[in-house]
Amino acid sequence: MAGLAGAQTSDQGFRLGAVHASDSGMASADLNMVNDRGTPTRRRPIRRLDAVAQNRIAAGEVIERPASAVKELVENALDAGAGRIAVTLADGGKRLIRVEDDGAGIPAAELALSLERHATSKIDGDDLVNIATLGFRGEALPSIAAVSRLYIVSRPGEAAAEIGAVAGTIEPARPAARAPGTTVEVRDLFCATPARLKFLKTARAETQAVVEVLRRLALSAPGVGFRLTDLGEDPATGTPRVLLDCPPERGETEAARLARASRLMGADLEADGVAIAAEREAFRLSGIAGLPGLARGSAVHQYLFVNGRPVRDRLLLGAVKAGYGDFLIRGRHPVFALWLDCPPAMVDVNVHPAKAEVRFREAATVRALVVGTLRRALGAAGHEGGSTLSATALAQMTPIEGPAAGASNGDAAERARNLGAGALRWMGAARRPATGGEWRPPAPTATEPLPGLAETATPFALPAGAEAAHAESEEVALNHPLGTARGQLHETYILAETAEGLVIVDQHAAHERLVLERLKRERAEQGIKRQALLIPEIVDVGAEAEGVLAAAEDLAALGLVIEGFGPGTLCVREVPVLLGHACPAALLRDVADELATAGTTEGLEARLDAVLSRMACHGSVRAGRRLSLAEMNALLREMEATPGAQWCNHGRPTSVRLGKADIERLFARR
């Protein structure tokens, strides 16, 4: 040990001695050092890097791939007031990027200055808070010039000029010919840093990244026309292929934004989306949000803009996720395009090298605006805009051919009878006797009422006089968004007729949402009412017991009162009144599972909503419960009065509709 200590002391003394020797003026290059890995090295003197090296380092931060260069150049064109921007690529941008615009050009005397770091016309350096442009860091052009062959041709007024830079070496400016505007041409990107080329993806992948960047910028500036052309791998011989072509949108700002979103994101968003428009203090939110049925498996169709700047901000994305809440199936991602506008001083746009993130002075206000607006808009979406049967589903509902379909005669009447028989089997297959034979209607049976229906076990309790739900005239009943109930299929689905066709409602999914919304209202208004169990329920939940006990206070606020009852065991003393005859043991186990799944990463409100969702499942009408027509209609009316009842607690649709025209097509009437 003494020898080891001596070695450490000796090594420590060597290091200290080396420092003192350096301080006393000895040549640092002659001093051997040992790094943390035990490898001998030499100390290098501190020196200032030359401008070319500085620009290449900056390029590594700002220009990651061809799409990054396109973003910077197009943002410059937008800041210059361009009305039309054309982008041309070759080999995914690795061999050629050309950006042409009709904006304000650069005077010949300033062309060389534009290629120097931290040189910009967008700010004067005194005010770094009120930023009204897309870029101002002054690093894009010199960074690109440091790693490529860059050429700029610009005409601000009567005369045009051109300048070039090869791997950071700037050439003198010279006269040129061009219409008013600017053309920036980038050739052989990363030719000065060939190691970077090895990390780029295929030309196809890089081109797709450019398309996505340009789509975001086109959404940010709907009044500007955009065109993207791909020349293939060789710019000299490649055949031009237009990948994106967006003419300028006309009209007011918000109308133009919605038109551009519909053009770039598909007609589905326009048909199955809700317009967003809300204000809170100095912030205004607008745009369009897709209904939960449009959710995708990835988050690629999500667009956020702050003062016209495309961003991928964690605060805003988290607020959008909270706004959709339990309207979405887990693992699915909403589709939206949202614009947030505010005074420039309220947001810091210079917290990220690529300006992809921002920081708000009043983050809580912004989050509340986004969450509240989305919840209200999605909840208020009418049942008329609910899920419809897709073309694929309709194709599966073709008539079943009858025995006479293969007969030699082609009598039209016979085919019609076969068509009708096929449709009859489709609707009545579940009731056909296993031994075959003709279909006959089932014998009438008494309808067993729902337990506790007159109290609060279900939210659609019948009014006095159980048949009051049928008091409406036929015309009024059919004009309800969900129509009037005609029957029940497999004791799971309610069949309702509307003036426009047929609606099929999943009774369990719909009732589950109604129970959840009622629990939420009770919690917000006066707290969830609870009832004590006559005999407390002892439940073994295993390892999750500690986590459930830690949340006991929050659960009590939700109407579920529990106590510890030994290792891994809990005692349920009170349950929410609204859950009626729910099994306390099953309820507690589901709550324990939900708390274990959510962990501590979710916010308190999100965790409580998730627990409420699990609890609501236990208080809802189950599949297999036969309902009377009065109960079905009461459920339909409650759905129409409840925001968000178009989707169950897990994001699945509670109803689908089949238009009258679709039904007629099924029976060859169209």
Side-chain angles (χ1 to χ4, degrees):
M1 293 296 292
L4 178 61
Q8 291 174 339
T9 304
S10 174
D11 180 62
Q12 195 173 30
F14 165 75
R15 293 179 182 272
L16 292 173
V19 174
H20 291 314
S22 176
D23 291 342
S24 64
M26 296 179 63
S28 60
D30 296 332
L31 295 176
N32 288 327
M33 303 290 290
V34 178
N35 61 19
D36 293 338
R37 297 183 299 275
T39 305
T41 184
R42 293 180 181 275
R43 181 191 180 279
R44 295 182 178 181
I46 298 174
R47 60 187 178 87
R48 179 177 287 109
L49 297 176
D50 58 44
V52 174
Q54 292 179 31
N55 287 336
R56 289 178 182 174
I57 293 172
E61 297 178 352
V62 180
I63 311 301
E64 301 175 354
R65 60 194 305 187
S68 305
V70 171
K71 173 182 178 294
E72 297 290 344
L73 297 177
V74 173
E75 285 183 348
N76 282 345
L78 291 172
D79 285 339
R84 291 184 180 273
I85 300 173
V87 180
T88 304
L89 299 178
D91 196 20
K94 290 179 279 188
R95 297 189 64 177
L96 172 68
I97 298 173
R98 184 188 301 123
V99 178
E100 303 169 272
D101 68 68
D102 58 358
I106 305 172
E110 299 178 8
L111 279 175
L113 188 60
S114 71
L115 296 178
E116 294 186 12
R117 292 188 68 210
H118 302 298
T120 181
S121 63
K122 301 177 184 180
I123 60 171
D124 57 12
D126 294 331
D127 188 356
L128 299 181
V129 176
N130 290 286
I131 306 299
T133 58
L134 292 176
F136 75 93
R137 294 174 64 92
E139 294 177 353
L141 285 178
S143 296
I144 297 172
V147 295
S148 69
R149 297 179 176 87
L150 177 72
Y151 303 93
I152 304 175
V153 181
S154 189
R155 177 180 171 183
E158 296 300 324
E162 178 182 6
I163 194 170
V166 178
T169 302
I170 303 175
E171 303 172 351
R174 52 190 178 274
R178 193 199 187 281
T182 302
T183 297
V184 180
E185 192 170 281
V186 181
R187 290 185 173 271
D188 300 326
L189 185 63
F190 299 129
C191 65
T193 54
R196 179 62 66 89
L197 288 171
K198 298 178 182 179
F199 293 92
L200 295 182
K201 298 181 179 180
T202 64
R204 183 187 186 94
E206 296 298 339
T207 299
Q208 188 57 42
V210 172
V211 171
E212 182 60 24
V213 163
L214 209 58
R215 183 181 286 115
R216 291 183 183 277
L217 291 168
L219 284 167
S220 74
V224 179
F226 289 82
R227 186 180 179 88
L228 174 62
T229 305
D230 181 23
L231 298 180
E233 294 187 2
D234 191 342
T237 61
T239 302
R241 185 166 58 104
V242 177
L243 303 181
L244 187 69
D245 191 4
C246 292
E249 307 294 345
R250 305 302 179 189
E252 298 294 331
T253 300
E254 292 187 7
R257 287 173 173 175
L258 293 177
R260 178 60 61 85
S262 176
R263 184 187 300 276
L264 290 178
M265 301 176 67
D268 288 348
L269 181 62
E270 183 178 10
D272 292 328
V274 290
I276 302 296
E279 294 184 30
R280 186 163 185 167
E281 298 180 12
F283 299 92
R284 174 167 180 78
L285 183 68
S286 61
I288 187 168
L291 294 175
L294 280 183
R296 306 290 179 86
S298 62
V300 295
H301 298 281
Q302 299 181 348
Y303 300 96
L304 289 168
F305 307 92
V306 177
N307 288 346
R309 179 190 306 278
V311 298
R312 295 288 298 175
D313 187 72
R314 286 175 292 180
L315 169 70
L316 293 176
L317 289 172
V320 170
K321 180 181 177 182
Y324 273 87
D326 51 24
F327 290 152
L328 282 178
I329 300 175
R330 287 187 179 180
R332 304 289 288 177
H333 303 270
V335 176
F336 58 84
L338 299 174
W339 286 263
L340 182 68
D341 297 295
C342 64
M346 302 294 290
V347 57
D348 184 357
V349 300
N350 197 32
V351 298
H352 189 275
K355 302 179 287 293
E357 296 182 6
V358 295
R359 183 175 296 136
F360 296 99
R361 287 178 55 186
E362 299 181 10
T365 301
V366 172
R367 177 178 170 80
L369 172 63
V370 175
V371 174
T373 302
L374 283 175
R375 284 183 178 176
R376 287 191 298 272
L378 294 172
H383 289 274
E384 295 87 345
S387 300
T388 57
L389 291 182
S390 65
T392 303
L394 289 173
Q396 300 300 318
M397 297 170 62
T398 54
I400 302 173
E401 295 295 334
S408 58
N409 63 15
D411 183 67
E414 186 67 21
R415 288 199 301 271
R417 284 194 294 272
N418 291 335
L419 178 64
L424 186 62
R425 282 195 293 276
W426 171 66
M427 291 294 291
R431 291 173 177 170
R432 178 181 292 278
T435 56
E438 295 300 320
W439 176 88
R440 289 179 173 79
T445 57
T447 300
E448 181 184 350
L450 291 174
L453 184 61
E455 293 83 27
T456 56
T458 62
F460 53 94
L462 296 179
E467 298 304 318
H470 294 293
E472 297 175 315
S473 67
E474 187 74 5
E475 181 179 358
V476 172
L478 289 175
N479 284 324
H480 283 298
L482 294 178
T484 182
R486 296 302 191 195
Q488 193 179 16
L489 185 65
H490 299 306
E491 298 180 347
T492 302
Y493 303 101
I494 297 172
L495 303 180
E497 180 186 357
T498 70
E500 302 299 327
L502 170 71
V503 173
I504 306 174
V505 176
D506 183 333
Q507 64 190 41
H508 171 68
H511 195 198
E512 189 177 15
R513 166 62 69 178
L514 300 181
V515 173
L516 174 61
E517 294 303 322
R518 185 176 234 190
L519 286 169
K520 286 182 178 179
R521 287 196 301 270
E522 281 192 5
R523 184 184 66 180
E525 293 171 1
Q526 74 270 1
I528 296 176
K529 298 177 181 178
R530 59 198 191 206
Q531 62 184 12
L533 297 177
L534 184 61
I535 302 176
E537 187 94 8
I538 309 302
V539 185
D540 183 2
V541 295
E544 283 80 21
E546 292 298 325
V548 177
L549 276 177
E553 186 175 346
D554 295 331
L555 294 178
L558 302 182
L560 184 62
V561 178
I562 61 170
E563 296 177 357
F565 200 80
T569 307
L570 299 174
C571 173
V572 182
R573 293 197 173 276
E574 299 179 51
V575 296
V577 172
L578 189 59
L579 299 190
H581 302 282
C583 173
L587 173 62
L588 184 59
R589 291 192 181 98
D590 267 4
V591 168
D593 290 343
E594 187 60 46
L595 289 174
T597 301
T600 58
T601 58
E602 298 283 347
L604 176 60
E605 184 178 0
R607 292 178 66 195
L608 294 181
D609 284 346
V611 171
L612 277 183
S613 178
R614 283 290 187 103
M615 293 167 61
C617 184
H618 289 269
S620 58
V621 174
R622 297 290 181 177
R625 174 66 63 83
R626 181 168 297 185
L627 303 177
S628 68
L629 285 177
E631 290 172 329
M632 296 180 207
N633 280 314
L635 175 62
L636 298 179
R637 302 293 81 81
E638 180 104 11
M639 288 177 64
E640 293 164 354
T642 302
Q646 305 92 310
W647 307 282
C648 78
N649 306 352
H650 314 292
R652 294 188 292 270
T654 58
S655 64
V656 294
R657 65 181 60 249
L658 185 62
K660 186 177 179 181
D662 294 325
I663 298 174
E664 290 175 343
R665 275 193 288 271
L666 288 174
F667 288 91
R669 289 179 174 270
R670 282 186 176 239

